[in-house]
């Protein structure tokens, strides 16, 4: 396995390269102190993985990653940075990992191994559910367009439930608040459910949505989500949370309060 390392700080670059050279799965490490230099190299050469600093002069790591993906779409990217506020932007461009400095050998090896294993499942689109701030649903870095806003809200509600099954009446009550769930509204809600199912299927991610025994759910194992990462104790997700969760939906207030309480207790 061949890796390139890019960091404008000489000491950090040497350290990361040294750590990589100690890993048995890595056969070659090529280091660069600037993004343009690395990009020029990659015009005529390839690698399996790029370890990129984000804050660099001339061209930052995010921009470099985009250009690398244009040249080598299958190359994995892991960001190494001292700043947590880039996490969401990194997820949008389908980064394979995001490590905070100072870099520890064990965590670096874990991220590299995860990157290698994820290559085997990359035929399925990368899905990221952004719940901090306003909700958005991205497939391979692009926001999914919903023809019905309630279909998008239903997806957000199911993501909020983290894989738990939800009765249709319960989902309806959340989305329509005090509206009576009579026969007419049941039919209207069925249209919303069908629209969500169709939209996901047409965009190649239909497997995340399940309907079993009258309950609706998402499969949390088939998508990435900032909320899920935060609940698992991921430091980047924790640092990227700014006290706002799915702000476009009133029913999200309960989860927001839960997150705020959990953050205060850390």
């Amino acid at each position: 396995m061949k890796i390139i390392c890019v960091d404008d700080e000489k000491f950090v670059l040497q350290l990361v390269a040294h750590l990589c050279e100690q890993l048995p799965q890595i056969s070659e490490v090529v280091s660069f102190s600037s993004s343009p230099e690395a990009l020029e190299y990659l015009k005529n050469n390839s690698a399996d993985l790029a370890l990129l600093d984000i804050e660099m002069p001339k061209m930052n790591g995010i921009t470099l990653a985009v250009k690398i993906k244009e040249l080598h779409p299958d190359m994995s990217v892991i960001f190494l940075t001292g700043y947590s506020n880039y996490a969401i932007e990194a997820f949008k461009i389908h980064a394979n990992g995001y490590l905070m400095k100072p870099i520890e050998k064990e965590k670096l090896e874990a991220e590299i191994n995860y990157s290698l294993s994820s290559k085997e499942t990359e035929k399925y689109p990368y899905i990221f559910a952004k719940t901090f701030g306003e909700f958005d649903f991205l497939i391979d870095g692009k926001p999914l367009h919903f023809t019905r806003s309630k279909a998008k809200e239903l997806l957000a509600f199911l993501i909020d439930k983290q894989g738990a099954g939800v009765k249709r009446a319960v989902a309806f009550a959340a989305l329509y608040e005090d509206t009576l769930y009579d026969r007419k509204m049941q039919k209207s809600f069925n249209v919303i459910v069908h629209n969500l199912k169709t939209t996901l299927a047409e965009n190649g991610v239909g497997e995340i949505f399940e309907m079993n025994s009258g309950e609706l759910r998402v499969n949390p194992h088939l998508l990435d989500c900032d909320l899920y990462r935060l609940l698992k104790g991921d430091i980047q997700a924790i640092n990227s949370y700014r006290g706002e969760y799915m702000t476009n939906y009133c029913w999200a207030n309960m989860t927001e309060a839960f997150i705020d309480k959990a953050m205060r207790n850390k």
Side-chain angles (χ1 to χ4, degrees):
M1 179 184 185
K2 181 178 178 180
I3 284 184
I4 67 164
C5 303
V6 188
D7 199 308
D8 63 314
E9 297 183 49
K10 184 177 180 180
F11 174 76
V12 175
L13 182 62
Q14 291 176 340
L15 173 62
V16 172
H18 176 67
L19 293 176
C20 288
E21 289 168 351
Q22 295 180 33
L23 303 179
Q25 61 269 51
I26 298 176
S27 58
E28 183 179 359
V29 180
V30 185
S31 301
F32 302 95
S33 59
S34 74
S35 294
E37 184 183 3
L39 193 60
E40 188 64 29
Y41 173 83
L42 289 172
K43 288 179 180 179
N44 299 303
N45 300 273
S46 185
D48 299 290
L49 174 67
L51 299 175
L52 310 179
D53 182 28
I54 291 184
E55 285 285 347
M56 293 187 289
K58 297 182 181 178
M59 183 190 304
N60 67 29
I62 298 288
T63 303
L64 175 59
V66 172
K67 293 183 179 296
I68 287 176
K69 288 290 187 179
E70 291 174 354
L71 291 171
H72 306 284
D74 294 332
M75 188 183 299
S76 299
V77 173
I78 295 177
F79 288 111
L80 313 177
T81 180
Y83 302 87
S84 63
N85 54 308
Y86 290 102
I88 299 299
E89 194 171 357
F91 295 147
K92 287 182 179 180
I93 64 167
H94 198 172
N96 299 81
Y98 189 97
L99 280 174
M100 294 291 291
K101 296 177 180 179
I103 304 301
E104 299 177 11
K105 180 182 177 181
E106 292 77 14
K107 291 183 178 180
L108 177 62
E109 183 173 19
E111 287 291 338
I112 290 174
N113 287 337
Y114 175 77
S115 173
L116 288 173
S117 64
S118 67
K119 281 183 174 294
E120 299 176 0
T121 59
E122 281 184 352
K123 290 182 179 179
Y124 195 77
Y126 174 75
I127 305 169
F128 180 67
K130 174 185 172 295
T131 65
F132 297 166
E134 291 193 357
F135 173 73
D136 217 341
F137 187 79
L138 300 97
I139 301 176
D140 287 337
K142 298 179 181 179
L144 178 59
H145 173 69
F146 292 84
T147 56
R148 294 178 180 268
S149 61
K150 284 297 182 183
K152 181 178 181 178
E153 184 176 358
L154 175 58
L155 177 60
F157 183 72
L158 296 177
I159 287 172
D160 176 78
K161 297 307 176 186
Q162 305 168 45
V166 179
K167 295 290 187 182
R168 288 176 181 245
V170 173
F172 176 88
L175 272 60
Y176 292 89
E177 299 186 45
D178 298 327
T179 304
L180 181 65
Y181 190 49
D182 56 16
R183 184 175 294 275
K184 178 182 177 180
M185 293 309 298
Q186 288 177 29
K187 290 182 178 180
S188 296
F189 189 63
N190 286 341
V191 172
I192 297 300
V193 173
H194 178 72
N195 181 262
L196 173 58
K197 180 180 179 181
T198 301
T199 300
L200 294 174
E202 289 177 346
N203 287 274
V205 295
E207 293 179 26
I208 75 162
F209 180 60
E210 300 177 2
M211 296 189 291
N212 296 309
S213 303
E215 291 187 336
L216 313 174
R217 69 182 293 270
V218 294
N219 186 335
H221 302 295
L222 294 179
L223 60 93
D224 195 0
C225 177
D226 45 10
L227 170 66
Y228 299 173
R229 284 176 171 247
L230 180 145
L231 295 177
K232 291 178 181 178
D234 183 272
I235 188 63
Q236 288 81 34
I238 292 172
N239 290 336
S240 66
Y241 181 65
R242 297 291 182 267
E244 294 185 333
Y245 172 78
M246 292 199 189
T247 54
N248 25 354
Y249 306 127
C250 295
W251 49 258
N253 291 340
M254 186 177 297
T255 302
E256 183 177 292
F258 173 81
I259 297 173
D260 291 341
K261 182 179 179 180
M263 295 285 280
R264 288 195 297 270
N265 294 333
K266 286 190 179 295

